[in-house]
Amino acid sequence: MLTRTFSTAGIPAAWLGIGAGIAAGALWGLVFLAPELVPGFSPLQLSAGRYLAYGLIALVLIMPAWRRLWRSLDWQAWRALLALSVSGNIVYYMFLANAVQRGGVAMASIVIGLLPIAVTLVGSRDHGAVPLRRLLPSLALSGAGLACIGWESASNADGSLVGLLCAFGALVSWTFFAVYNSRWMARLDGISGHEWNLLVGVITGVQALALAVPAFVLAPGAHAAPQWMWFGAVVSGVALLCSVVGNALWNHASRLLPLSLMGQMIVFETIFAALYGFLWEARWPSAFEAAALTLLVAGVVSCAQAHRRHT
C-alpha cells in the first residue's frame, strides 16, 4: 500500500519515501562530477579510493552497534551483504568503466539510463504491485526521455560489441542490487536502513582492498603530493555524501515505497547528474536535453499517480 503508514507530523509515509528517493538521487548525481574534479586519475583509482573511504567511514560509524548487529544477523544476511556489495558497487562500476572506455560515454549512459524501466518491470511482478498496464504510460514517458538524452550523441558513439555487453552487464548488476536490496529492507527486523548501508560499506571496503593493488601499486601514475591530497578529499567526499548518506536515504525510501515505484526514483540520479553537468559546463540545456528532463519527471509523476489510484 502506498500510504500504509504515517509520520508523527501527519505526512504520508509515501511522500517521505519519495522525498528520500529524490534526495538520494541528488547526492548520487555528484558521482559524475568526480572524474572532472580529478582528471589525472584513472577510473580504477577513483573506484578503489571511493570504496576504501566508504569502508573506513562505515567501519567508524558502525562500531558502537557492531556487537548487536553481529548477534542479530544470520548467515543468510551476511551472504546478502556480500552479494549486494559485489553487485551494487564493485562489479557495477567495473562493468560501467569498461563500457565507457570501449563504447563511449553516450552508449553507456543510454543503456544505464534504462535502470528505472528495468527495476520497475521487475517490481511489477511482486505480489500486490500495481498492474503493469497501469505503469505503461510512465514507462513510455521515461523511455522517451532517455531517447532524447541519447539522440544528439548516439550518432557519434563508436561503441564496440564488448562495450555494449559491459553496459548491459552494469544494467543487470545494479538492477539486481536495487531489487535484492529492497526485498531485504522489507525483511529486516531491528536493523535500520542506515545500519544496513554501513554494513554494505564495510564489506565493500574489504573488497576494495583487492582493487588497491592494481590501482595504486601497479599503476600509481605521476602525481605530486597536493594532487594526492585533493584526490583523497574528493573520493572521501564522494564516499560520505553519495555512499553513506545517499545510500541511507535510498534504504529509508525502500522501506516506505513499493519496488515498482522505487524503480522510478532512480531516474533522479540521471536528472541531477545532468543538472550538475550543465552547471559545471556553464551552459543551458539543449532542446533535446530539456525535453528529456521534462519527460523523465513526467514519468515519475505518472508512476506515483498510478500507485495512488491503486491504493
Side-chain angles (χ1 to χ4, degrees):
M1 298 292 286
L2 183 60
T3 56
R4 60 184 182 274
T5 58
F6 292 83
S7 70
T8 57
I11 303 175
W15 292 112
L16 292 176
I18 290 173
I22 294 173
L27 291 174
W28 284 347
L30 295 171
V31 173
F32 293 84
L33 286 180
E36 298 290 343
L37 296 174
V38 284
F41 292 85
S42 69
L44 182 62
Q45 290 173 327
L46 280 168
S47 178
R50 172 190 175 182
Y51 293 135
L52 284 172
Y54 179 24
L56 288 174
I57 295 172
L59 180 61
V60 171
L61 294 176
I62 203 67
M63 285 305 295
W66 181 258
R67 290 185 179 180
R68 173 176 60 82
L69 294 173
W70 179 262
R71 293 193 298 267
S72 301
L73 297 175
D74 56 15
W75 168 243
Q76 286 186 333
W78 287 107
R79 187 172 58 185
L81 286 167
L82 179 63
L84 289 169
S85 302
V86 172
S87 63
N89 292 324
I90 305 297
V91 172
Y92 168 73
Y93 186 85
M94 297 308 297
F95 269 132
L96 181 61
N98 276 283
V100 171
Q101 290 175 351
R102 294 174 181 269
V105 175
M107 181 277 293
S109 62
I110 293 169
V111 176
I112 301 303
L114 296 173
L115 272 169
I117 296 176
V119 175
T120 299
L121 287 173
V122 174
S124 68
R125 299 172 62 88
D126 286 359
H127 177 72
V130 176
L132 182 59
R133 65 181 182 276
R134 295 189 181 180
L135 298 175
L136 290 179
S138 65
L139 294 174
L141 288 167
S142 298
L146 294 169
C148 288
I149 289 176
W151 181 261
E152 293 179 316
S153 56
S155 60
N156 297 323
D158 55 350
S160 65
L161 177 60
V162 175
L164 184 63
L165 292 175
C166 286
F168 275 101
L171 174 67
V172 172
S173 179
W174 216 93
T175 300
F176 171 82
F177 171 84
V179 172
Y180 197 45
N181 186 65
S182 180
R183 290 173 176 168
W184 265 95
M185 287 288 96
R187 294 176 55 180
L188 293 176
D189 185 20
I191 299 176
S192 68
H194 179 55
E195 290 172 334
W196 183 255
N197 173 48
L198 293 178
L199 289 171
V200 172
V202 172
I203 301 297
T204 303
V206 174
Q207 295 169 353
L209 291 173
L211 295 179
V213 174
F216 302 117
V217 178
L218 300 181
H223 302 292
Q227 292 176 307
W228 281 111
M229 293 178 63
W230 176 238
F231 171 81
V234 170
V235 295
S236 297
V238 170
L240 178 62
L241 294 176
C242 303
S243 297
V244 177
V245 181
N247 290 2
L249 287 167
W250 181 261
N251 286 344
H252 181 66
S254 296
R255 283 188 154 176
L256 299 176
L257 300 176
L259 180 58
S260 52
L261 182 54
M262 281 302 296
Q264 291 294 303
M265 291 294 102
I266 302 173
V267 82
F268 283 102
E269 179 182 9
T270 301
I271 292 172
F272 280 101
L275 293 176
Y276 298 151
F278 300 147
L279 291 173
W280 179 261
E281 297 174 4
R283 67 176 178 89
W284 291 98
S286 68
F288 274 107
E289 290 167 337
L293 295 177
T294 302
L295 288 167
L296 291 174
V297 173
V300 175
V301 172
S302 175
C303 187
Q305 290 177 340
H307 282 82
R308 188 174 184 178
R309 291 193 300 268
H310 185 63
T311 58

